[in-house]
Amino acid sequence: SEAVISTVLMLVGDNSRIVATDAAEKLTQINKALPPDVFAEPVYNRSKLVNATISTVEKNLTEGALLVIVVLFLLLGNIRAALITAAVIP
């Protein structure tokens, strides 16, 4: 069997999630236009990596914010003062 490999390139500064989604949609359109015995399938979809990275960043930011609030509470001795001080950080 024969195979052809293609690569989708992203311009610098583009949103990788949007590019990956657009490439997947275009591949679906291309598959509809191909003969019945020919098909195109993705080998690597970068959107999974992007989503995993975003999830990790969200988790780290949440844990960091909670840690800051706990440390501020321990130093200030007042949860209200700790929350107000932590709210200024972002």
Side-chain angles (χ1 to χ4, degrees):
S1 86
E2 297 179 22
V4 176
I5 295 177
S6 176
T7 303
V8 176
L9 298 177
M10 182 177 67
L11 297 174
V12 174
D14 276 352
N15 184 328
S16 58
R17 182 187 282 179
I18 293 172
V19 171
T21 304
D22 290 348
E25 288 176 10
K26 197 62 163 175
L27 191 59
T28 303
Q29 292 175 2
I30 291 170
N31 266 325
K32 292 177 183 176
L34 293 173
D37 58 338
V38 178
F39 61 94
E41 63 182 3
V43 176
Y44 173 71
N45 188 342
R46 187 173 175 176
S47 63
K48 292 177 185 176
L49 172 66
V50 172
N51 291 335
T53 303
I54 290 172
S55 174
T56 301
V57 169
E58 287 175 348
K59 178 182 169 236
N60 290 344
L61 286 174
T62 302
E63 290 175 356
L66 291 174
L67 183 62
V68 166
I69 291 170
V70 168
V71 169
L72 285 172
F73 173 69
L74 293 174
L75 292 175
L76 298 174
N78 184 337
I79 191 67
R80 185 175 178 190
L83 290 173
I84 291 171
T85 306
V88 177
I89 293 172

